[in-house]
Amino acid sequence: MTAESQIILKLGVPKGSLEDATINLFERAGWKIRKHTRNYFPDINDPTIAASLCRVQEIGGYIEAGILDLGIVGLDWLMECGLEDKVVRIADLVYSKTSNRPCRWVLAVAGDAPYQSPRDLEGKRIATELKGLTSRYFDRLGVNVNIFYSWGATEAKVVEGLADGIVEVTETGTTIRAHGLRIIDEVMCSYPVLIANKDAMNDPAKRAKIEQITLLLEGALRAESLVAIKMNAPADNLDAILGMLPSLNSPTVSPLQDARWLSVETVVNIDVVRDLIPRLRKAGAEGIIEYALNKVI
């Protein structure tokens, strides 16, 4: 059997801003993607998957056409290309620890401009990379504007007097403020989404592979915000220690050779650990171990 005959699924890996986060996520889920410097077909440690590195703006179209079966795109570009109903949206992949946290597309104007709301921009010029989404946004508001495509340095368009406002992507708004601009509305919130070809979802072998990938990707994402805590707890203060421990279900409590002590293990949100460990120590817990998790299913 040749390598090609084993391939079940054609996977689109987004090139650009989502690239590193996607590769890291797949690795935590169990699939190692290794790029080559001279081509767009990375290796993957699964003979049933063929991976292609594609521009995020193009992946949705390739999946709709059946050139790819599965891929990750930004929700913004899925909507910009009008593909929401033409592909299957499998899962929202909100990366909490990586660089690809949810981002916002915002409407911004010069800091000293008189505009206070989108309706104040009636008849004005708006620069953006997302012409389709921006057009639908203003249409919903009933505001007539002149939208033109920005090929980059969008924030500078207002500064240079080429536009009265922009629709641009931001996480914190820092870059927009650094250009002397002011946000007056949020157009949409975007994050990575896993999408599939409709025919692929009707193919039993492909669907099974897609469901396997989805399960493990979501498990890897869930694990990003969690850690495991293990400790030795004095039996005479067990109830107090258990009362401090949030968990997915309930903590695991196991006997030790010394009946005065018990082993306690649980999974908690990473944000509570710095406050939790000192409290556990004060309550008599010893040998406290914290360790990272790859996946939580």
Side-chain angles (χ1 to χ4, degrees):
M1 181 180 291
T2 66
E4 287 188 0
S5 65
Q6 297 182 62
I7 293 173
I8 293 175
L9 205 71
K10 294 170 289 185
L11 172 69
V13 178
K15 182 176 176 60
S17 62
L18 292 177
E19 184 176 337
D20 290 342
T22 296
I23 291 173
N24 290 339
L25 176 63
F26 268 86
E27 183 160 355
R28 295 199 307 278
W31 287 274
K32 293 184 178 180
I33 299 172
R34 294 291 178 260
K35 298 181 293 182
H36 300 291
T37 56
R38 298 185 181 274
N39 70 47
Y40 292 93
F41 303 100
D43 294 327
I44 185 167
N45 63 336
D46 186 333
T48 67
I49 300 176
S52 300
L53 198 61
C54 309
R55 287 175 60 86
V56 67
Q57 297 92 330
E58 299 172 343
I59 286 180
Y62 292 149
I63 289 177
E64 179 199 7
I67 298 170
L68 298 173
D69 299 308
L70 184 73
I72 290 177
V73 301
L75 179 61
D76 45 6
W77 287 106
L78 185 67
M79 296 178 65
E80 172 69 6
C81 297
L83 296 173
E84 304 100 303
D85 299 324
K86 298 178 181 179
V87 298
V88 182
R89 184 168 161 183
I90 303 293
D92 296 344
L93 305 176
V94 182
Y95 302 172
S96 60
K97 286 176 64 178
T98 67
S99 60
N100 291 292
R101 296 183 294 272
C103 59
R104 300 181 298 149
W105 284 87
V106 297
L107 176 62
V109 297
D112 58 357
Y115 317 121
Q116 300 299 321
S117 77
R119 290 176 175 79
D120 296 332
L121 290 165
E122 176 75 30
K124 303 300 182 181
R125 287 170 55 82
I126 307 296
T128 186
E129 289 183 75
L130 294 187
K131 284 189 66 177
L133 190 142
T134 300
S135 178
R136 293 193 293 273
Y137 163 76
F138 279 104
D139 285 346
R140 287 196 304 271
L141 296 175
V143 179
N144 182 33
V145 294
N146 177 15
I147 302 168
F148 67 96
Y149 186 80
S150 171
W151 294 92
T154 306
E155 295 93 343
K157 299 294 191 301
V158 172
V159 178
E160 295 169 357
L162 301 175
D164 300 292
I166 62 169
V167 171
E168 179 63 327
V169 66
T170 183
E171 280 189 15
T172 64
T174 301
T175 302
I176 286 177
R177 290 191 296 271
H179 282 82
L181 305 183
R182 173 170 47 86
I183 296 171
I184 62 173
D185 199 16
E186 180 176 307
V187 176
M188 75 164 295
C189 178
S190 181
Y191 41 81
V193 293
L194 184 68
I195 61 173
N197 173 267
K198 289 185 175 181
D199 290 336
M201 291 299 291
N202 291 324
D203 180 295
K206 290 184 177 182
R207 186 184 184 96
K209 194 68 182 180
I210 290 170
E211 289 175 347
Q212 176 198 14
I213 292 171
T214 303
L215 177 70
L216 296 179
L217 289 180
E218 291 184 325
L221 279 174
R222 195 174 296 116
E224 282 191 339
S225 60
L226 300 170
V227 294
I229 295 284
K230 188 173 184 178
M231 73 203 78
N232 293 333
D236 58 5
N237 205 27
L238 179 63
D239 289 343
I241 288 175
L242 293 181
M244 301 178 190
L245 297 177
S247 68
L248 291 178
N249 293 302
S250 63
T252 299
V253 180
S254 305
L256 296 176
Q257 186 174 12
D258 185 339
R260 295 173 300 171
W261 292 89
L262 297 162
S263 175
V264 177
E265 188 170 7
T266 191
V267 174
V268 301
N269 192 292
I270 195 169
D271 293 334
V272 308
V273 172
R274 63 186 179 194
D275 296 321
L276 178 60
I277 288 180
R279 293 174 59 211
L280 292 170
R281 187 69 183 87
K282 189 173 181 179
E286 295 183 0
I288 301 171
I289 301 171
E290 173 192 345
Y291 54 95
L293 304 169
N294 280 332
K295 290 178 281 292
V296 176
I297 306 297

